Amino acid sequence: MKRRIAVVTGAADGLGQATAIRLAKDGYDIVAADIAPTDETVEAVSGLGVRSLGVRCDVSVEESVTALADAVADFGGADVLVNNAGIYPFILFKDLTTEQWRRIFSINLDGMFYTCKALLPQMQKKGWGRVVNIASNSFINGADPMLAGYVSSKGGIIGLTRALGSEYGEFGITVNAVAPGLLVTKTTAALIGEPGTPGASKWDNMIALQSIKRSGVPEDVVGAISFLTSDDASYITAQTLVVDGGLARV
């Protein structure tokens, strides 16, 4: 039997890379998509004995996503889509420009619209599919300043997840969201510093609010994604699973 194929966006590093590796361990062939080179991810996945394909893709550009979908079709067609690509610039609302607002939405929300439009038909043709959209606990707890654009876009993701879950259940396709808390990655370290370093107090502030008293890492989240892409989650759709150490209590 052919292995199912999982497409992961934002797969060059961080949560996207960790997700691609976890799904490869679960037995999926992997398409790693990112605007940045995915060579490192493809190499890691290939070492796990599954097929892998790296595709350069800007999810904010519809034509680029169409090219991604064509590459996925040639690879065998999507069974799973993990929409992970996103940005989170820290900008006070009074300083947030229309251009910045639209860029945040073009990547975080429009990008998911494009990938879902392009890849859901491939799943529908197969009669089985899993979509996992990466949202954020910031939409639920509302405690993060300087993230008006980001939090708003993540709220849109949860809305899109609910709507698509309602529409595609009859085709054997589930659509869910995972809402992580702040994770230690190269990107977050560049933005706010690494935990325990001078000036990186945001980590300590988060931990103080959490039930689990440590900073999160991508590997803390990939288990939830793995579950939602599995047959065990076949009766779950249009839901948002918060994975943040107990910061947001829903």
Side-chain angles (χ1 to χ4, degrees), residues 31-171:
V31 179
D34 203 304
I35 196 170
T38 57
D39 298 0
E40 183 179 293
T41 302
V42 168
E43 182 179 356
V45 165
S46 298
L48 295 170
V50 301
R51 293 190 306 146
S52 60
L53 175 68
V55 179
R56 187 72 68 92
C57 178
D58 181 347
V59 297
S60 70
V61 178
E62 188 170 11
E63 293 78 10
S64 184
V65 175
T66 299
L68 167 65
D70 290 342
V72 173
D74 291 341
F75 197 63
D79 298 284
V80 169
L81 169 62
V82 180
N83 276 312
N84 170 71
I87 59 172
Y88 41 95
F90 289 86
I91 307 169
L92 285 171
F93 183 73
K94 69 180 183 64
D95 299 324
L96 184 64
T97 66
T98 299
E99 181 180 1
Q100 290 167 328
W101 172 272
R102 296 201 183 282
R103 180 170 180 267
I104 294 166
F105 269 76
S106 72
I107 297 170
N108 292 3
L109 186 56
D110 294 352
M112 293 194 185
F113 169 77
Y114 295 143
T115 55
C116 288
K117 285 283 285 186
L119 294 173
L120 276 169
Q122 296 182 13
M123 299 179 196
Q124 192 170 348
K125 185 177 180 180
K126 295 184 178 188
W128 190 96
R130 300 284 185 268
V131 178
V132 179
N133 298 323
I134 303 303
S136 170
N137 74 337
S138 62
F139 175 73
I140 296 162
N141 66 43
D144 293 298
M146 302 179 68
L147 287 173
Y150 174 78
V151 172
S152 298
S153 70
K154 292 298 182 175
I157 289 167
I158 292 174
L160 179 65
T161 298
R162 292 174 180 175
L164 294 182
S166 299
E167 288 193 29
Y168 282 87
E170 65 180 290
F171 304 113

Side-chain angles (χ1 to χ4, degrees), residues 188-205:
T188 53
L191 285 170
I192 61 175
E194 295 184 8
T197 60
S201 60
K202 188 171 181 62
W203 299 105
D204 292 333
N205 295 339

Side-chain angles (χ1 to χ4, degrees), residues 172-204:
I173 300 168
T174 67
V175 185
N176 292 289
V178 170
L182 191 64
L183 303 176
V184 182
T185 66
K186 288 188 291 186
T187 303
T188 53
L191 285 170
I192 61 175
E194 295 184 8
T197 60
S201 60
K202 188 171 181 62
W203 299 105
D204 292 333

Side-chain angles (χ1 to χ4, degrees), residues 209-230:
L209 297 172
Q210 294 171 195
S211 298
I212 299 171
K213 300 300 184 182
R214 63 174 177 82
S215 298
V217 295
E219 288 72 20
D220 290 319
V221 180
V222 295
I225 297 170
S226 172
F227 168 65
L228 289 173
T229 64
S230 72

